[in-house]
């Protein structure tokens, strides 16, 4: 049965402060620069979720977009939209960098979405920064 890949794009806004308790104030400032601002700063994130699976012969789809959109809305967007990432449980022991946010979102999708295989996620933090995570299976072309 042929397999296909589906990538869907979502947007949300959230804030964070990049600061590690394992570093001194000076080291935090050197490592994170302006992103270490004590008041934090925000981003308008663009999230791309790529799933794959066999193309269903009856529907012609990898998965129903309603299922994917519903899951992402409930489990990802509602959790992170307009949040301060530093206050969330998953970031009490790690810095809420976009790399760590990618890994967290990937794991939530991979462990909860059952209608197709979650292959990877990609996030744009700014026009100049984007990040991808595929659970250790990243391939660069």
């Amino acid at each position: 049965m042929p397999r296909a890949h589906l990538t869907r794009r979502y947007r949300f806004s959230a804030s964070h402060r990049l600061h590690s308790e394992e570093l001194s104030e000076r080291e935090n400032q050197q490592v994170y620069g302006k992103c270490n601002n004590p008041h934090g700063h925000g981003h308008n994130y663009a999230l791309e979720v790529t799933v794959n699976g066999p193309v269903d012969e009856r529907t012609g789809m990898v998965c129903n977009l309603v299922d994917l959109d519903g899951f992402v809305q409930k489990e990802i967007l509602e959790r992170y939209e307009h949040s301060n990432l530093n206050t969330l449980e998953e970031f009490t022991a790690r810095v809420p960098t976009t790399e760590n946010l990618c890994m967290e979102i990937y794991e939530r999708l991979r462990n909860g979405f059952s209608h197709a295989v979650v292959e990877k996620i990609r996030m744009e933090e700014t026009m100049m920064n984007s990040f991808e995570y595929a659970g250790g299976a990243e391939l660069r072309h």
Side-chain angles (χ1 to χ4, degrees):
M1 187 176 295
R3 293 182 76 79
H5 303 265
L6 162 67
T7 300
R8 191 81 161 149
R9 192 171 177 100
Y10 306 92
R11 296 189 182 281
F12 68 93
S13 299
S15 67
H16 63 174
R17 177 188 186 208
L18 302 185
H19 185 87
S20 172
E21 295 298 325
E22 297 187 23
L23 301 174
S24 69
E25 290 296 324
R26 187 166 192 261
E27 289 170 316
N28 271 292
Q29 189 55 231
Q30 288 174 335
V31 170
Y32 300 118
K34 66 181 181 179
C35 296
N36 184 245
N37 176 346
H39 303 291
H41 63 283
H43 295 285
N44 295 314
Y45 293 100
L47 168 66
E48 292 180 0
V49 176
T50 300
V51 299
N52 73 60
V55 176
D56 184 281
E57 289 183 20
R58 282 182 326 129
T59 66
M61 298 186 299
V62 171
C63 74
N64 191 319
L65 291 178
V66 171
D67 295 328
L68 182 57
D69 289 350
F71 186 88
V72 171
Q73 178 64 40
K74 183 172 185 277
E75 300 298 327
I76 307 302
L77 301 181
E78 288 180 14
R79 178 166 190 79
Y80 296 113
E81 179 72 273
H82 299 299
S83 70
N84 176 343
L85 299 175
N86 297 80
T87 65
L88 300 177
E89 180 182 345
E90 56 266 41
F91 295 113
T92 57
R94 58 184 175 161
V95 181
T97 61
T98 303
E99 293 93 321
N100 282 335
L101 181 58
C102 278
M103 290 188 289
E104 182 64 32
I105 290 173
Y106 175 87
E107 291 302 324
R108 286 177 180 275
L109 289 164
R110 186 77 181 209
N111 293 330
F113 187 69
S114 60
H115 299 281
V117 175
V118 176
E119 183 174 304
K120 70 176 182 175
I121 67 144
R122 180 178 177 275
M123 290 188 69
E124 288 182 12
E125 177 186 63
T126 69
M127 196 169 99
M128 302 296 287
N129 297 339
S130 66
F131 305 85
E132 289 184 13
Y133 185 69
E138 291 77 14
L139 294 176
R140 298 305 296 179
H141 303 285

